[in-house]
Amino acid sequence: MSSLATAPAAALQGLLRARELGIVLALAALVAYTAAGNPRFLSGQSIRDILLNTAILAVMAAGQAVVVITRNIDLSVGSVLAVSAFGVATLMSANPSLPIVVALLAGLAVGAACGLLNGVLVRYGRVPALVVTLGTLYIYRGVTYSWAGGQQVNADELPPHFLRFANDSILGVPWLVLIAVVVIGGVSLMMRNYRLGREMYAMGSSPQAAELAGIRVARNTIGAFLLSGALAGLAGVLFAARFGTVDAAAGTGYELNVVAAVVVGGVAVFGGSGTVWGAGLGALLLTVIGSALAVLDINQFWQQAIVGALIVLAIGADRLVAVRIAGSLRKRDSHV
Amino acid sequence: MSDLRRRVASWDVLVVLLTVVVLVTAAGVVENFGTSRNATFLVLDLLPIALVALPMTLIIVTGEIDLSVASTLGLCSAVMGLLWNNGLSLESIIGICVLLGAVLGVVNGFLVTALGLPSLAVTIGTLALYRGLAFVVLGDGAVADFPLAFTGWVTGTIGGTPIPNVGIPLVVLAVLFGVALHATPFGRSLFAIGANAQAAHFSGIRVARTTFWLYVLSGAVAGLAGVLWTLRYSSARADNGAGLELAVVAAVLLGGVSIFGGKGTLPGVLAGVVLLAALQNALRLEDVSGQALNIVTGVLLVASVLLPNIATSIRTSWQRRRLRRAAAQ
C-alpha cells in the first residue's frame, strides 16, 4: 500500500524536477547556440558580467519565490530596493569609514521594516497582498523621492571600499555572486528541509486547511513578506555598490523582472509549488537572454518581448503539467 | 434606515464624497485650480486612465485582472507611428489601432479562458510582450508629425466651454459601460461570475465566453486610449503610457471594486479616477513633486480596503458584545 502511495508522489516529484530541468536545458541550449555564434560569449569577463547582473535579480527572486509559494505576491520589491539603495548610499557617503557589513545590515534592516509593514497589512488588515504591495510600491517609491528631493548620490561620493566590494572576488568568485548563491542556497534549504518551509508550501496549497491544521499562518505570512523585504533591501545595497550612482528612480519596474524570474523558474502563481533555486535559475535565464541578444547582435528591443513570451510559455507549461498530474491522480482513484 | 446607513457607509459613496470635497477645497485653496484652462488639462490628464478603467472595472468585477492595458496602449501608439510613417491615412490608422488593441485582447482572453491560465500571470507576461513588441516596432524613436487637424481636435474644447472634445467619447463610453454593468442582465452576470464563477457556470452563465469578450473589449479600449494619447502629445513612442496599468488598477480599487470580484460600482471608479487626477493636478500647481504624490496614491489604495475592513470588524465586535450582554441578562 505504501509503495502504491509513494509511486505517484515520486512521479509527481519527477515532473516537478523536470520543470527545473526544462530551464536548465533551455539555458544550456541558449548558451551553446550563442557561444557557437560568438565564442567570446564564454570568456571569463562575459560570464562574470552575466553572473554579476544575475546576482541582484536572484536575491530578490529568492524572497519573491517564498511569498508566491504562500499564495501571495510582493510588488513593492523594486521600491524597497530604492529606499534601501538610496538610504545606504547616503549613509556610506556621510560616514565613509563604516565597514561593508554595516551597509549590508542597514539594507537588510530597512528592507525588513518595509516587508514587515506589508506582512502586517496583509495578515491583520486582511487586505489582499496584490493591493497592499501595489500600494506600498507607490508609498516606498514616493518616500524615496521625497527623501532624495531630486538629488542623487554619485560614485565619487561613495567610499572606495564600498564600490570595490561590487567588483572584488574571494577565491575568484565575486562577492555579489557569492551572496546570491548563499541566499538562494539558504532559502532553498529552509523551504525544502525545515518545518517553516513545508508549512509555507502547505499554506500556499490551501490557506484554510493550513489554518485548521494548526499552522501559524499569521507568523508565517508576515515572515514571508519580511524575508522578501529584507532581501530586496539587501539587493538595494548590492545595487548601490555595483552601480555607484543612486537616485530615487533606482530599481523602477524591477518588480516585473522579479516576478518574471519567479514564474519562469517554475513557481506557480497560485502558490504551493515551485522551488527557490528554480526562481534563481529563472533569474539567470532572463539575464543570459539579455546578454545573448547583445552578443548575437540582435536588436536589444527584442529582449522584453522574449521575456514576455517566456512568461506565457512557462505558465502554459505549468498548466500542462498540472492537468496531467490531475489526470493521473483521477485515473488512480478510479482503480481503487 | 439600515439600508440607507449601509449605503452611506459604503466605500464607493465615500469616495464620491471625498472627490467632491477635494475638488471644492482645491478650487478654493489652490491658485489657478478652478480656472477653465486647468479644468481642460485635468480632463485631458485623466482621460487615458478613465478610458482604460472602464473595461478594467468589468474585468476586476468578474475576479480577473488585465495588467497588459498600458502595454497595449504603447504598442498601438507605436504601430500608429509606424503606419503614419508609411503614408497611410490617419482615419484608417485609427481604425487599425483600435482593431489591433482588440486582437491583443483576444490573445489575453484566449490564454485566460481557453487555456485556463491565471489572468494575473498571463497579463504580466503580455505586459512585457506587448511593450517589447512596441519597442521592436518603433525602437526608441518618436513619430511626431501628425496633422494638426487631429491633434488640435484632441486638445481642443467644445465651443466656449472648458470641456475638451475628447470628453465626448469618454462620457459616451462611461454611460455605456455604466448601463451595461448596472442595468442589464449582462452586468448582473459579471457580478455573479465574480462572486462565484462555478455557481455562475451552473446557473447557465457562459463564464468563459463572457470573460473572453471582456478582454477583447479591454484591448480595444486600450487601443483607442493609445490613439488619443498619441494625438494629445502629438508623439507616437514605444514607451507611451508605461506604468499606467498600476494607476488604472489603483483607481479602480480606490473606487471600491473588490480585487476578489463580485463587488464594485462604475460611478465609484470614475470618482476614484477623478480623485487621483485632481490630487495630482492640485499638488503640481502647489509645486509639490509629482513623485511625492505617489505616497498619497499608495495610502489611499491601501486605505480603500483597510478602512472598510476595520469598520466591519468593529461592527462585529459591537454586535458580539451586545449579544453577550443580552445573553447575560
Side-chain angles (χ1 to χ4, degrees), chain A residues 85-98 102-103 106-107 147 153 158-159:
Chain A
F86 192 78
V88 168
T90 310
L91 178 77
M92 292 307 282
S93 66
N95 311 288
S97 57
L98 284 178
V102 177
W147 184 10
V153 180
L158 289 169

Side-chain angles (χ1 to χ4, degrees), chain A residues 286 289 293 298 301-311, chain B residues 128-129 132:
Chain A
L286 294 192
I289 289 174
L293 289 178
I298 298 172
F301 295 127
W302 275 103
Q303 184 184 352
Q304 206 179 3
I306 291 176
V307 168
L310 210 59
I311 297 175
Chain B
L129 178 63

Side-chain angles (χ1 to χ4, degrees), chain B residues 68 89 93 118 138 149 157 160 193 196 293-294 299 317 322:
Chain B
S68 71
S89 78
I93 292 178
L138 206 58
T157 57
I193 294 171
N196 187 334
L293 173 90
N294 280 342
V299 169
S317 82
R322 209 178 305 145

Side-chain angles (χ1 to χ4, degrees), chain B residues 45-54 244 247-248 251 273:
Chain B
D45 283 346
L46 64 77
L47 178 81
I49 297 182
L51 273 179
V52 177
L54 298 174
L244 196 77
V248 172
V273 172

Side-chain angles (χ1 to χ4, degrees), chain A residues 136-184:
Chain A
T136 52
L137 178 157
Y138 281 110
I139 296 173
Y140 299 153
R141 179 69 62 188
V143 166
T144 317
Y145 268 106
S146 312
W147 184 10
Q151 302 288 311
Q152 62 176 32
V153 180
N154 291 316
D156 57 359
E157 298 166 44
L158 289 169
H161 71 280
F162 183 66
L163 295 172
R164 225 182 302 123
F165 165 70
N167 294 310
D168 271 359
S169 305
I170 176 165
L171 300 175
V173 183
W175 274 106
L176 259 59
V177 177
L178 192 69
I179 289 176
V181 168
V182 167
V183 165
I184 295 274

